[in-house]
Amino acid sequence: MKASIEWLSEYADINVEPKQLGDILTMTGSKVETIEEQGKDIQNVVVGKILEIKPHADSDHLVVTKVDVGGGEILQIVTGANNIKEGDIVPIAKDGSKLPGGVEIKKGILRGVESCGMMCSVGELGLDINSYPDQIEMGIMILSKDLENKLGADITEVLGLKETVIDFEITPNRPDCLSIEGLGRETAVSLNEPFKNPRKNLDEMKVQDKDSVEGIKVDITAPDLCYRYIARVVKNVKIGPSPEWMVKRLNSCGVRAINNIVDITNYVMLELGQPMHAFDINSIEGKHITVRRATKGEKIITLDDQERNLTEDMLVIADEKKPVAIAGVMGGQNSEIENDTKTVVFESAVFYGGNIRKTAKAVGLRTEASSRYEKGLSPENALRSINRAVELVELLGAGEAVDGKVDVYPAKQKENRIPLNVERINILLGTNLSKEEMIKTLEKLDIKVENDVVIPPYFRQDVEGIADVAEEVLRFYGYDKLGTTLINAETTLGGKNKEQKIADSISELLVNSGLSEICTYGFISEKDLEKCNISKDNEYMKETVKIQNPLSEDYTIMKPTSVPTMMQMLANNNNYKNKEVRLFDLSRVYKNKQNAIENGNLPEESNVLTIGIYNESEDFYTLKGLVENILEVAGVSKYEIKKEENNKMYHPGRCANLKVGNDIIATFGEANPLLTKNYDITQRVLLAEISIDKISVYARRNKKYSPITKYPVLERDIAMVIDENIEVGEIEKIIQKKAKKLLEEAKLFDVYRSEKLGENKKSVAYSLKFRLPDRTLTDEEVNGVMKEIVSELEKSLGAELRK
C-alpha cells in the first residue's frame, strides 16, 4: 500500500523527517518497505517564457528561440519542436540540469548555433501523459499562462512534483490499513498526535433506505458470499478529466487516472479501503441487480477486453439477462462507463474474502479490489464509502446525487466484546502497565473500553481475544522497551518417546549401511498414483485425502503411499546418471479411512519408512537382509515372511510381506517393471515400505542376554526335494515346531534346481544346530527330533528326503 506523506498529513500532524517517520511506523507494526522522494531526480528545471522564434540558418526543421527564465536571464535554445509559439510558457532545463533516467543537460552547438538548455516534454520530465490529457506526447509541455508571473520558479514546485511516498507492507490481518484513513490513524497514534479524521461527516450522514432508486432494485441470492450490497444513483453525469489534486493523489498511490467517475471509485478505495464499482444504468437490463453464483458455462468479457469463463462457485453481479461484473474482481465491458453516460449506479459491497481469492486465482486476474476483499472487509464501511463517492461527485461537479439508497444487508456485523484482564495482559507482555495506560492507548485507536470490556470498532475485526488486545497495547508501548525475562512456568524435562527413539535407531542403521536420507513433500497428484500402477478402484485411490486449495495440479492429494515419491527421487537420480542409488525416507502417509473426513473426523496419519535402491549388485535377498536388520535394531524378533502377489506396485514373484500375527508391518521386494518403465529407469529397483507405528507396537527395547553355554552343539544337515511353489518359510516353521527348544539355529545353505529332480521341483538344504543350555544332548534325542521333522515335512509339504 502506497501513501504520500502529504495525504497522510490530513489525518495527523507530521513533524518528523520521512526516514524517522518510517522507523516509527515500522516499530508500531506498519512495516515500511521503501520511502520514495518523487521529483528528486529533476534538478535545475525552471519555468520559462518563449520571447522569440526564428528559423535556423542551416536547418529546415530546427528553430532558434529566446527564452526568459526569470531574473532578467534570457537563454538562447535551439529546438526541433513544432508545437510552440511565441508567448508560450514551457519547462526549461538549464545548463547543468538533471532529468529522470540520469539525463544531464549541457550547453552545446547545434548546426553552428549555441544552445544553452532544452525545452522539456511530459515524457522527458518522467510524467505520465495520461495525467496531462491536454498535452502532446512527443511535443513540448505547454504550461498555463497563469504561470507567467513565476518565471524561473522550480518546475517541481510549480507542478507539485515534489512528494514523498511511503510503500507499506500490510499484513493480512489488517485490511483497515489498506487505506489512507487506516494508515493515517496509525500515524497519528504512533506520533502521539491527535487523529484529525477529516471524514467524520460520513459517520453522521443520513441517507434514506428505499426499495428502489431510479428503478434500480437489488437482490442477494448468495448471502453466504455477499454480506452487504449498497447502490446509489447519480444523474446528469458529466464525464471528463479529474482535477489535478485527485490525479496527483491517485498517481502517488500508483493508480492511473481515467475519468472523473472511475477516478472517484479508485480514490474512495484508496482513501477508505472499500473497493467500489460504477455502472452505466442503461447497461443493466430491467434495472434489477442480482448478486448470485455464476451458472455453468457462463462467460463475461471484463474491462481488460479478456473473455473469462465462469464456474458455479464464482460470485457475479448480474442483471436480468447477463453478468455485468465478477464480484470483487473486475467489472464487465458491457457495463463500462462511456463518454456519453448520463446516469451512473455506484456499487459498494462486501464479499466473502475466501471466495474472492479463489475466483481471482481461477480467472487469472488479481486486482486492487480483489487484494482488499481477500483480507476480509467490514460491511459497516460500505455505507461510508458510497456516501463519500457521491459527495465527491457533487464536489467535482460531475453529476447530481439522487436521494435514497438501496441497501441489502442480510446479516449485520457482530460486535466483539472482550473482558479487559489487566493482569493477564501484563503477564503476556512481561510488563507492569496500569489499566489507565492500557485504556489510553486503546482509545487512541478508537477501541472503546466500557465497564472493563474492550469493544473493537467495526474496522478492527482482527481484535478477537485478550492476546489481540495485548498486542495493541504493546505496539504503542514499544517492543524495544521490553526487558529480558525467563519463562515462568511449570515445565518437565523433554525427551523422545519410544517411536522417535526407534526411528532414530533405524535412521542411524541405514546411514551406516550406506543409504542417504531424503525429505519429501506430503502431497502428490493422482497422476503419480497412476504411474505407480494404482488403478482408480484401488484402496489407495478410494482413501485419498484431497487438498481443497492445492498449490498446483502436481499437488492435489495427500500421499496415501510413499512409493510414488520415492520412485520420482530414484528417477531424478537416474536422470543425473547416478549409477548406484540407495535412499530412505521417514515420512507420513494419509488415508481417509471409513470416510473420516466426511464424518467430521481427521484422516489417519501413519509414519512410514520407505527404502528405494537401484544397484546392479543388489537383489531381493539383499533388501530382505536390510529389512531384517531394521527389525533387529527396533527389537522385533518374532515375525514371519509371506509371499505377496496382489500389490501391483511390486513384481508379483519377487515381493513379500513381513507379518507379526495377521498384522503386516512391512512390504518389500522388486518394483513392478511397469513402474520402472513409467519412470524411465532402466535398472532393477528395490522398494520397501515399513510401518514405524506398527514396529513400535511390537518392539521390545529391553534386550535379554544369556551366557555362552559350555555344552557342545550337535549339527545335522537335511536336504529335501519339494515343489517349486513352496516357500522356505513354511519349511522353517515345521522345523521350529518339531525341534522346539532343542533347536539353536536353522540355516538355509543351498537351493538347487535340475531336470533330474523333476519338473517344477527344487532341492532345499538346511544346516541345523541343536543345543541345550543346561546339559549335553545325546545323539538319540537329536535323531528322534530329526525323524519327526522329516515325517512332518513329508506329510505337510510332500517333501522327499534327498539321498
Side-chain angles (χ1 to χ4, degrees):
M1 173 70 189
K2 290 185 177 181
S4 68
I5 290 182
E6 178 263 339
W7 201 349
L8 290 175
S9 297
E10 280 195 6
Y11 296 84
D13 291 327
I14 300 175
N15 301 312
V16 296
E17 291 299 313
K19 186 180 184 306
Q20 186 181 358
L21 176 62
D23 292 341
I24 292 171
L25 289 171
T26 298
M27 287 301 294
T28 57
S30 303
K31 184 184 177 185
V32 172
E33 286 288 287
T34 60
I35 300 176
E36 179 187 0
E37 295 184 43
Q38 296 180 350
K40 191 176 182 180
D41 50 358
I42 300 175
Q43 297 179 17
N44 204 23
V45 180
V46 299
V47 176
K49 179 181 180 181
I50 301 175
L51 302 177
E52 179 184 286
I53 302 176
K54 290 185 176 181
H56 193 291
D58 195 26
S59 174
D60 293 334
H61 67 279
L62 295 177
V63 294
V64 181
T65 67
K66 300 290 184 181
V67 182
D68 183 356
V69 292
E73 184 179 6
I74 307 297
L75 300 180
Q76 176 175 284
I77 296 176
V78 179
T79 179
N82 56 14
N83 71 312
I84 57 173
K85 62 182 185 297
E86 292 179 357
D88 280 346
I89 309 298
V90 296
I92 302 295
K94 299 169 69 175
D95 178 38
S97 62
K98 293 182 180 180
L99 297 174
V103 177
E104 190 169 349
I105 305 301
K106 295 287 187 183
K107 285 184 180 181
I109 304 296
L110 292 176
R111 295 286 182 92
V113 178
E114 183 181 46
S115 182
C116 300
M118 184 182 80
M119 298 179 190
C120 299
S121 68
V122 172
E124 287 164 337
L125 291 175
L127 305 177
D128 185 357
I129 189 65
N130 294 303
S131 301
Y132 300 89
D134 55 335
Q135 299 294 331
I136 300 173
E137 188 167 5
M138 301 304 292
I140 300 302
M141 186 177 190
I142 308 299
L143 303 175
S144 171
K145 292 288 186 182
D146 297 339
L147 297 177
E148 188 170 354
N149 60 345
K150 292 187 177 182
L151 299 182
D154 190 327
I155 197 70
T156 59
E157 297 286 351
V158 171
L159 297 180
L161 302 180
K162 279 192 174 180
E163 192 167 29
T164 302
V165 177
I166 302 178
D167 192 357
F168 293 90
E169 180 186 332
I170 306 301
T171 53
N173 67 316
R174 293 299 304 276
D176 60 299
C177 286
L178 289 170
S179 66
I180 300 298
E181 183 179 62
L183 290 172
R185 183 181 290 102
E186 290 289 309
T187 301
V189 181
S190 298
L191 296 175
N192 200 23
E193 296 285 347
F195 177 55
K196 296 179 181 179
N197 194 6
R199 303 281 80 83
K200 188 176 181 180
N201 65 307
L202 298 177
D203 300 316
E204 302 165 353
M205 194 178 294
K206 302 295 182 183
V207 181
Q208 184 180 1
D209 282 334
K210 294 185 176 182
D211 293 334
S212 69
V213 177
E214 291 293 300
I216 290 292
K217 295 183 178 181
V218 176
D219 283 319
I220 299 176
T221 62
D224 55 324
L225 302 182
C226 179
Y227 302 142
R228 190 177 193 179
Y229 192 101
I230 308 174
R232 288 199 66 180
V233 179
V234 174
K235 63 182 181 180
N236 298 327
V237 171
K238 300 171 186 175
I239 304 296
S242 297
E244 186 178 332
W245 64 267
M246 180 174 283
V247 172
K248 179 183 174 184
R249 287 188 169 178
L250 291 174
N251 289 341
S252 70
C253 293
V255 177
R256 181 172 64 87
I258 298 174
N259 61 51
N260 50 6
I261 298 299
V262 175
D263 292 349
I264 284 171
T265 62
N266 287 330
Y267 186 88
V268 172
M269 177 181 68
L270 294 171
E271 184 180 46
L272 302 180
Q274 171 65 44
M276 294 186 62
H277 191 62
F279 303 101
D280 186 330
I281 196 170
N282 293 324
S283 67
I284 303 172
E285 296 280 351
K287 294 187 178 182
H288 186 187
I289 295 173
T290 304
V291 187
R292 60 170 173 80
R293 285 177 166 84
T295 58
K296 189 175 182 180
E298 203 164 25
K299 297 181 179 181
I300 185 174
I301 298 176
T302 46
L303 290 172
D304 58 354
D305 296 328
Q306 298 294 316
E307 185 176 72
R308 311 285 177 179
N309 295 315
L310 306 176
T311 60
E312 293 168 288
D313 55 353
M314 295 179 182
L315 192 68
V316 296
I317 313 301
D319 59 23
E320 291 183 347
K321 293 185 178 180
K322 62 187 181 302
V324 294
I326 303 176
V329 181
M330 184 176 279
Q333 200 178 68
N334 52 25
S335 61
E336 185 177 9
I337 300 296
E338 303 287 354
N339 290 333
D340 59 350
T341 298
K342 295 302 179 184
T343 305
V344 168
V345 180
F346 279 106
E347 162 197 292
S348 181
V350 177
F351 309 108
Y352 169 51
N355 180 263
I356 300 302
R357 180 176 61 81
K358 291 178 181 178
T359 299
K361 182 180 178 182
V363 299
L365 188 63
R366 196 166 188 268
T367 60
E368 287 281 349
S370 69
S371 66
R372 283 170 168 78
Y373 279 122
E374 288 173 8
K375 311 298 188 298
L377 302 181
S378 167
E380 293 295 318
N381 195 37
L383 180 58
R384 299 175 70 249
S385 301
I386 202 166
N387 288 341
R388 173 60 171 160
V390 172
E391 180 184 60
L392 285 169
V393 169
E394 295 184 325
L395 178 66
L396 270 55
E400 301 173 16
V402 176
D403 289 337
K405 68 179 186 298
V406 180
D407 186 356
V408 182
Y409 197 178
K412 293 190 180 296
Q413 179 180 330
K414 293 181 180 179
E415 185 179 72
N416 196 14
R417 303 175 73 88
I418 308 160
L420 178 63
N421 189 331
V422 176
E423 182 181 358
R424 177 61 179 159
I425 291 174
N426 277 321
I427 290 173
L428 284 172
L429 303 182
T431 56
N432 189 27
L433 298 173
S434 67
K435 181 199 291 185
E436 289 71 24
E437 290 176 291
M438 294 182 186
I439 293 175
K440 184 178 179 182
T441 299
L442 294 172
E443 288 182 341
K444 285 182 179 179
L445 292 165
D446 289 341
I447 300 175
K448 295 179 183 178
V449 180
E450 297 178 357
N451 300 322
D452 289 342
V453 175
V454 178
I455 308 172
Y458 65 86
F459 53 83
R460 291 303 305 274
Q461 298 181 76
D462 61 302
V463 181
E464 299 176 330
I466 193 66
D468 301 314
V469 176
E471 182 183 11
E472 295 306 300
V473 171
L474 178 60
R475 286 199 300 127
F476 298 100
Y477 171 74
Y479 292 99
D480 54 329
K481 294 180 183 178
L482 292 179
T484 302
T485 58
L486 295 174
I487 296 174
N488 182 20
E490 293 182 5
T491 60
T492 56
L493 184 64
K496 293 186 176 182
N497 58 30
K498 178 182 177 182
E499 183 179 299
Q500 291 169 328
K501 289 177 181 179
I502 289 174
D504 287 347
S505 299
I506 292 172
S507 179
E508 183 179 359
L509 167 71
L510 293 173
V511 171
N512 292 337
S513 299
L515 279 75
S516 300
E517 184 172 7
I518 60 174
C519 295
T520 58
Y521 289 124
F523 26 74
I524 57 176
S525 72
E526 289 190 9
K527 293 179 181 178
D528 294 321
L529 295 178
E530 291 171 6
K531 285 177 72 174
C532 285
N533 205 24
I534 296 175
S535 60
K536 291 191 179 293
D537 58 349
N538 190 285
E539 66 172 314
Y540 286 121
M541 284 289 196
K542 294 178 180 178
E543 296 175 350
T544 55
V545 178
K546 295 185 178 180
I547 301 171
Q548 291 185 351
N549 184 31
L551 296 174
S552 69
E553 291 182 0
D554 295 329
Y555 305 116
T556 57
I557 58 175
M558 304 301 291
K559 62 183 182 185
T561 171
S562 52
V563 170
T565 311
M566 179 58 73
M567 287 299 298
Q568 186 60 57
M569 295 300 103
L570 293 174
N572 290 346
N573 278 274
N574 184 62
N575 293 337
Y576 299 150
K577 308 300 181 184
N578 292 328
K579 295 182 179 180
E580 297 183 357
V581 178
R582 310 175 87 229
L583 305 175
F584 75 94
D585 176 29
L586 281 162
S587 60
R588 290 187 178 184
V589 296
Y590 306 83
K591 294 182 180 180
N592 185 21
K593 291 278 189 182
Q594 298 177 344
N595 296 319
I597 297 175
E598 290 77 3
N599 295 325
N601 299 316
L602 293 174
E604 178 186 282
E605 298 183 32
S606 305
N607 294 297
V608 174
L609 166 67
T610 313
I611 297 173
I613 298 172
Y614 68 74
N615 187 333
E616 291 182 358
S617 62
E618 296 184 80
D619 57 16
F620 173 86
Y621 295 102
T622 310
L623 181 62
K624 174 177 176 287
L626 185 60
V627 172
E628 289 181 322
N629 286 344
I630 290 171
L631 296 180
E632 183 179 352
V633 165
V636 179
S637 56
K638 295 182 179 180
Y639 56 85
E640 60 179 331
I641 299 175
K642 289 285 188 179
K643 187 176 181 180
E644 170 60 54
E645 295 180 334
N646 297 321
N647 194 322
K648 302 300 182 182
M649 292 187 290
Y650 292 84
H651 192 295
R654 301 170 189 169
C655 175
N657 289 327
L658 199 148
K659 302 176 70 176
V660 176
N662 293 321
D663 209 355
I664 298 174
I665 63 173
T667 300
F668 62 93
E670 186 178 321
N672 193 309
L674 287 174
L675 268 68
T676 56
K677 181 180 179 181
N678 290 340
Y679 285 94
D680 296 324
I681 302 175
T682 55
Q683 299 190 56
R684 177 174 56 193
V685 171
L686 302 175
L687 295 171
E689 298 171 271
I690 305 167
S691 171
I692 299 298
D693 295 338
K694 291 181 179 180
I695 282 181
S696 300
V697 172
Y698 299 110
R700 297 293 179 266
R701 300 293 287 171
N702 298 323
K703 294 184 178 180
K704 292 182 178 180
Y705 296 90
S706 56
I708 298 174
T709 181
K710 58 184 179 180
Y711 299 103
V713 65
L714 292 181
E715 296 186 25
R716 297 286 190 273
D717 290 344
I718 181 172
M720 66 211 77
V721 178
I722 58 175
D723 292 339
E724 182 67 50
N725 62 349
I726 295 176
E727 299 176 17
V728 293
E730 296 181 54
I731 299 173
E732 291 175 5
K733 284 176 69 175
I734 290 174
I735 293 173
Q736 184 68 52
K737 178 182 177 182
K738 291 299 179 181
K740 298 180 181 177
K741 294 183 180 181
L742 275 61
L743 183 69
E744 184 179 82
E745 181 185 40
K747 185 175 182 180
L748 176 69
F749 69 86
D750 183 52
V751 178
Y752 173 71
R753 294 175 177 85
S754 172
E755 293 181 0
K756 296 179 180 178
L757 298 175
E759 187 177 357
N760 292 325
K761 295 287 186 178
K762 62 183 176 183
S763 171
V764 179
Y766 274 88
S767 174
L768 308 179
K769 292 183 178 180
F770 299 91
R771 177 159 35 196
L772 288 175
D774 55 351
R775 64 181 180 84
T776 301
L777 281 171
T778 64
D779 287 334
E780 289 75 14
E781 287 178 294
V782 173
N783 291 339
V785 169
M786 287 297 296
K787 287 181 180 179
E788 289 185 34
I789 291 172
V790 171
S791 176
E792 186 63 29
L793 289 171
E794 290 175 343
K795 178 182 176 183
S796 300
L797 304 180
E800 295 180 16
L801 199 61
R802 189 176 169 197
K803 302 180 180 175

